[in-house]
Amino acid sequence: MNLHHERSIAVRRLVDEARLIEREGESPNGLQRASLDKIGGLLAKLASRADLFPLAEFPLGPDGGIYRLSEDPDHRFALYASAGGAGKKVPPHNHTTWAIIAGVHGAERNVVYERLDNGDREGFVQLRESPAKEKTLKRGDVISYLPDDFHHIETPAESGDALHLQFYGLSLEHLPDRVSVDMATGSAKRFMAKAKILTPLLSVQQVKAMLQSGEVFAFFDVREEGEFSIKGHPLFATPLPLSRLELRAFPLLPDPQTRIVLMDSGEEGQWDGRANRAAARLSQLGYSDLAVMNGGLKAWREAGYEVFTGVNVPSKAFGEVVEHENDTPRIDAADLQKLLDAKTDLVILDSRPMPEFNNMSIPGGIDCPGAELVYRAKDLAPNPETLVVVNCAGRTRSIIGAQSLINAGLPNKVIALKNGTMGWHLAGLQVARGETRSFGPQGAEAAKFAQAAAANIAAKMKVKKIDKSGLAALEATGGALYKLDVRDPAEYAQGHIKGFRHAAGGQLVQATDQYVGARNATIVLHDNDGVRATMTAHWLMQMNWNETYVLDHTPAPSELTTEPEPRFPAGFGLPETDSVAPAKLAASLGQTLVVDLDSSLRYRDGHVPGAWFAVRANLARTIPEMLQKQQGVTRIVLVSPDGEIAALATSEAADAAGTVPVAILEGGMKAWRDAGREIETGHTRMADPPTDVWYRPYDFKENIEAAMRQYLEWEVDLVPQVSRDGDAKFTVYRPG
């Protein structure tokens, strides 16, 4: 157990015990002094462990020095580490909730006051010092306050930098009635109208060491996906855009106690930077162990560490390493066309999901996504003399798909189509559009081959299997545990074990960071007979997901559900907002500022006429700008695909809108389309540049071929860059 894990456990224990003491000691008049003193004893014990609170992680800066250590989702039981420089002085104030302070580093003088007036004059408080109650806090010392107590604090000049723990019954950001008092006049005014709450910091060197240590933690980059891709990121940073955080956080990290490190560009300020803002939102979702990488991408780059562009980089880099190590057979598009022209006995298996296959495919191809290849190969190529060609859009899934069949011992000759459909297009060949040809039910010979192949792979790779009791043991252990059903989407929808999310095996290998947000987490895979789970596991193990298991369990009908898995942590729900029906919005477009919060790609392909594109994370800046450019607005309406992101953004938009009311489009853009309303296309009104999402080469309207060539070159160049970076621990299985 390292220092940070120990601190996290100690903080959780304090909060849990304090919650119990408060519950047992509350009276109609609130928490009693005796109960407060009990909690104070616990806080003093924690504060005496100064090694858990190194000053470097809680620096005093331009945005102050109040760092959130814990806060309940309902904002109760808020614990902070508060840094103070020599000479710091805070005027007399109250708290309006119970408060306890304990010393950790340095000293803090607490001057306590007696209130003399009866409180009947608004804006006036008369205080007198109570010297007998004054206390200077050093390590392990504690002082407590009831809601109406007044005190002031100061850091003695001779103390040097100080750090203290402050524990409140309600978070500082939710205490609007606190007042500070001018002792000379008795004038009382609101105290800390907008508290600047920060997140503990880690250096880039600490984060780099964590990546190399095998520690279980989540490393989230909260910039927009396009920035993540274009400007670059550490190899194992996982994108979790602030603009979509609430929708993506829980599937990426189902365990709220797993340690989280957040990063942004490093050029945004400490308090209002996206990493700190993301920490506040994650805290509201119930995540408790949060830190920010100090300096973000800028500091990472300046430290000389590798910066990777693109998305799903660990998976794509792994694919390139697999090809390099195994010399996976491949064929150019032009040579494949010659074989087709010669009527060669071959089958083309497209290893992508159906929507991608439907968009564009190799003529004559059959859709058979990655994990389905070994499971269904004998149905699609029953003759061992048939050449099997595996393709995707680019490289990774072609390589992994072909190598899956080779590793499984398919007797056919298997080759990957070099550069996939992009290579086909660049060769001047015509891609097919709108195809839907796919596999049928698995036949007996296919099942026999697949089960024997999976058993052989499991034995050679030592794939770990567990039964239902083994799964229960993992669940009881706690920590970052991912339960994933790797079957075809249609099978999953027909019934799956409750608690298992869908992650089609091929996509899980191709884009692991879209499903598993914690490094070195435990992963349990399930399907119907173990084949697809085993083949997926054997790839994840090669990618250094060492705690990967296959659930060997045939569920009873009572264990199955067709309900989707929860998308949010328990207790979290979308806020209630004012909404506008499509017909009503259509009738008032001239007086309405319509703000589309979908991706710039989908905005380009269709939006409400006159709507602006904007990134949710930037609304504090862009809403005033849009209101300035679009005069005469009487209302702001936020639009997103189904209304969810719009609802989540309403309070942020209202803060930026001043007196202009804010509502959402009822049912989102889907409802607008379903109502047959007019659609406008193009990047017509852009409050933010279209760098919010990654544009695939075939998403561009111009210079598509150049984008394809650049992408394919980028994939190939990943191998030496991964080697320079040093964090990846790939171990490639070699059949034979």
Side-chain angles (χ1 to χ4, degrees):
M1 182 185 299
N2 62 33
L3 177 147
H4 294 96
H5 285 143
E6 194 172 353
R7 181 171 78 200
S8 177
I9 291 170
V11 166
R12 279 202 302 274
R13 185 185 303 120
L14 166 73
V15 174
D16 289 344
E17 292 179 1
R19 192 181 289 112
L20 181 62
I21 291 170
E22 187 196 66
R23 188 182 305 125
E24 293 175 344
E26 256 189 329
S27 72
N29 296 320
L31 189 67
Q32 298 302 295
R33 179 72 68 179
S35 297
L36 199 60
D37 290 342
K38 286 182 183 178
I39 298 174
L42 298 174
L43 188 66
K45 184 178 179 181
L46 177 61
S48 66
R49 287 291 312 276
D51 58 310
L52 297 180
F53 304 96
L55 282 170
E57 296 183 13
F58 308 95
L60 183 64
D63 291 322
I66 304 176
Y67 291 84
R68 181 188 292 105
L69 293 172
S70 181
E71 180 182 335
D72 284 2
D74 63 358
H75 311 298
R76 297 289 326 281
F77 299 97
L79 177 65
Y80 306 96
S82 180
K88 170 189 174 183
K89 187 172 183 179
V90 177
H93 61 275
N94 63 354
H95 300 102
T96 69
T97 185
W98 58 259
I100 310 173
I101 305 173
V104 181
H105 297 288
E108 178 182 271
R109 179 174 174 241
N110 275 253
V111 178
V112 183
Y113 295 87
E114 176 186 359
R115 183 166 185 172
L116 303 178
D117 67 297
N118 60 12
D120 61 353
R121 286 176 58 187
E122 187 174 348
F124 177 82
V125 174
Q126 187 177 10
L127 300 175
R128 178 175 62 196
E129 285 190 23
S130 298
K133 296 181 180 179
E134 180 179 316
K135 194 171 186 179
T136 296
L137 304 179
K138 295 184 179 180
R139 183 171 303 163
D141 295 332
V142 67
I143 192 168
S144 58
Y145 300 98
L146 291 172
D148 294 329
D149 291 341
F150 280 82
H151 78 133
H152 91 247
I153 58 175
E154 56 186 69
T155 305
E158 67 276 10
S159 167
D161 289 340
L163 187 76
H164 296 79
L165 299 183
Q166 300 182 351
F167 197 18
Y168 297 93
L170 193 62
S171 78
L172 291 175
E173 295 160 301
H174 295 83
L175 299 174
D177 298 324
R178 290 199 303 164
V179 296
S180 64
V181 180
D182 184 324
M183 290 296 292
T185 65
S187 174
K189 61 181 180 181
R190 187 174 179 185
F191 180 57
M192 289 181 68
K194 192 169 186 179
K196 291 187 173 182
I197 308 302
L198 306 173
T199 308
L201 299 177
L202 293 174
S203 69
V204 294
Q205 290 79 13
Q206 286 176 293
V207 177
K208 185 71 170 175
M210 290 168 65
L211 288 167
Q212 296 175 338
S213 71
E215 179 180 346
V216 177
F217 75 105
F219 185 19
F220 290 142
D221 188 324
V222 299
R223 297 172 298 154
E224 301 302 310
E225 185 189 70
E227 293 177 73
F228 176 89
S229 172
I230 297 166
K231 296 184 179 180
H233 52 84
L235 175 60
F236 287 111
T238 297
L240 178 63
L242 177 60
S243 295
R244 286 164 171 73
L245 183 145
E246 296 92 340
L247 299 180
R248 297 188 183 180
F250 187 58
L252 272 176
L253 187 59
D255 174 42
Q257 296 178 359
T258 294
R259 189 179 181 193
I260 299 173
V261 178
L262 303 167
M263 66 165 284
D264 55 25
S265 69
E267 301 175 293
E268 307 172 29
Q270 188 179 357
W271 173 62
D272 54 359
R274 282 174 285 184
N276 192 61
R277 291 159 60 193
R281 284 196 200 155
L282 287 166
S283 178
Q284 292 168 14
L285 289 171
Y287 296 95
S288 58
D289 193 352
L290 299 156
V292 166
M293 187 172 79
N294 194 11
L297 179 65
K298 182 175 184 290
W300 185 270
R301 194 187 300 272
E302 289 173 350
Y305 300 144
E306 288 290 324
V307 174
F308 291 78
T309 57
V311 297
N312 310 131
V313 179
S315 295
K316 292 177 180 179
F318 173 68
E320 295 300 322
V321 171
V322 168
E323 184 193 55
H324 182 267
E325 293 293 317
N326 276 317
D327 193 22
T328 305
R330 50 204 174 271
I331 186 171
D332 289 324
D335 291 334
L336 177 57
Q337 182 61 63
K338 290 177 183 176
L339 293 179
L340 290 169
D341 292 341
K343 308 298 183 185
T344 304
D345 179 14
L346 63 82
V347 61
I348 301 171
L349 303 181
D350 193 311
S351 61
R352 300 171 299 159
M354 177 55 75
E356 290 187 64
F357 176 78
N358 180 258
N359 182 49
M360 64 174 183
S361 62
I362 307 301
I366 302 170
D367 186 52
C368 189
E372 306 296 325
L373 286 164
V374 171
Y375 191 70
R376 303 180 188 278
K378 275 295 185 181
D379 285 329
L380 302 171
N383 182 353
E385 300 302 317
T386 300
L387 174 65
V388 177
V389 181
V390 181
N391 79 276
C392 65
R395 296 179 53 81
T396 308
R397 287 170 289 184
S398 301
I399 296 165
I400 296 297
Q403 197 63 50
S404 290
L405 293 171
I406 294 169
N407 290 359
L410 188 72
N412 304 61
K413 182 178 180 181
V414 180
I415 55 178
L417 175 58
K418 184 178 178 181
N419 299 334
T421 54
M422 291 191 220
W424 189 266
H425 176 93
L426 291 171
L429 300 170
Q430 194 72 32
V431 296
R433 302 281 185 181
E435 294 295 326
T436 58
R437 188 181 178 195
S438 187
F439 53 81
Q442 188 193 42
E445 286 301 311
K448 181 180 178 181
F449 165 76
Q451 289 167 16
N456 184 49
I457 286 286
K460 289 183 176 180
M461 288 283 297
K462 296 182 171 56
V463 175
K464 292 174 281 192
K465 291 188 177 183
I466 56 172
D467 58 14
K468 194 176 178 181
S469 63
L471 174 60
L474 290 176
E475 291 171 330
T477 301
L481 173 64
Y482 295 83
K483 297 179 289 185
L484 303 173
D485 188 319
V486 299
R487 295 175 297 159
D488 178 75
E491 293 175 79
Y492 179 84
Q494 289 169 4
H496 57 273
I497 299 176
K498 187 175 182 180
F500 276 74
R501 292 190 182 279
H502 183 247
Q507 290 305 105
L508 178 56
V509 175
Q510 147 78 9
T512 314
D513 57 358
Q514 290 183 12
Y515 301 94
V516 181
R519 295 291 306 150
N520 306 302
T522 299
I523 301 172
V524 177
L525 307 177
H526 186 251
D527 60 15
N528 59 314
D529 63 0
V531 172
R532 288 169 285 188
T534 297
M535 294 307 299
T536 304
H538 108 287
W539 286 122
L540 293 178
M541 291 167 63
Q542 294 174 68
M543 296 170 71
N544 202 39
W545 295 99
N546 294 323
E547 292 303 307
T548 299
Y549 300 83
V550 171
L551 177 59
D552 186 10
H553 172 66
T554 302
S558 60
E559 296 177 77
L560 301 178
T561 180
T562 57
E563 294 293 319
E565 288 302 307
R567 298 165 58 232
F568 303 110
F572 180 84
L574 294 172
E576 293 185 5
T577 60
D578 292 334
S579 61
V580 178
K584 192 170 182 180
L585 176 59
S588 60
L589 285 176
Q591 296 80 45
T592 304
L593 175 65
V594 182
V595 182
D596 193 319
L597 300 175
D598 201 351
S599 72
S600 59
L601 182 57
R602 286 193 287 266
Y603 171 87
R604 181 195 70 183
D605 293 342
H607 54 264
V608 174
W612 290 77
F613 164 75
V615 170
R616 176 190 170 196
N618 300 334
L619 287 177
R621 170 181 58 81
T622 58
I623 281 185
E625 293 174 352
M626 288 183 280
L627 287 172
Q628 181 65 31
K629 292 175 181 177
Q630 187 172 328
Q631 298 289 321
V633 166
T634 59
R635 177 174 57 194
I636 297 172
V637 173
L638 305 179
V639 180
S640 61
D642 55 12
E644 290 188 340
I645 290 290
L648 290 165
T650 300
S651 63
E652 304 149 38
D655 288 342
T659 60
V660 182
V662 177
I664 69 170
L665 175 60
E666 186 179 296
M669 195 63 195
K670 181 180 185 301
W672 183 269
R673 291 180 184 275
D674 290 347
R677 295 290 171 183
E678 181 183 354
I679 300 292
E680 183 178 35
T681 60
H683 285 148
T684 52
R685 294 165 195 82
M686 305 294 289
D688 286 293
T691 54
D692 58 310
V693 291
W694 177 62
Y695 280 60
R696 298 168 297 184
Y698 39 88
D699 287 329
F700 290 98
K701 295 295 187 182
E702 299 175 343
N703 302 318
I704 296 174
E705 288 78 13
M708 287 180 173
R709 290 189 184 93
Q710 183 182 36
Y711 173 81
L712 295 168
E713 290 170 2
W714 165 80
E715 279 198 298
V716 172
D717 289 342
L718 284 173
V719 173
Q721 189 178 13
V722 166
S723 178
R724 291 194 305 270
D725 178 74
D727 288 343
K729 297 179 176 65
F730 301 145
T731 53
V732 176
Y733 169 77
R734 296 183 180 182

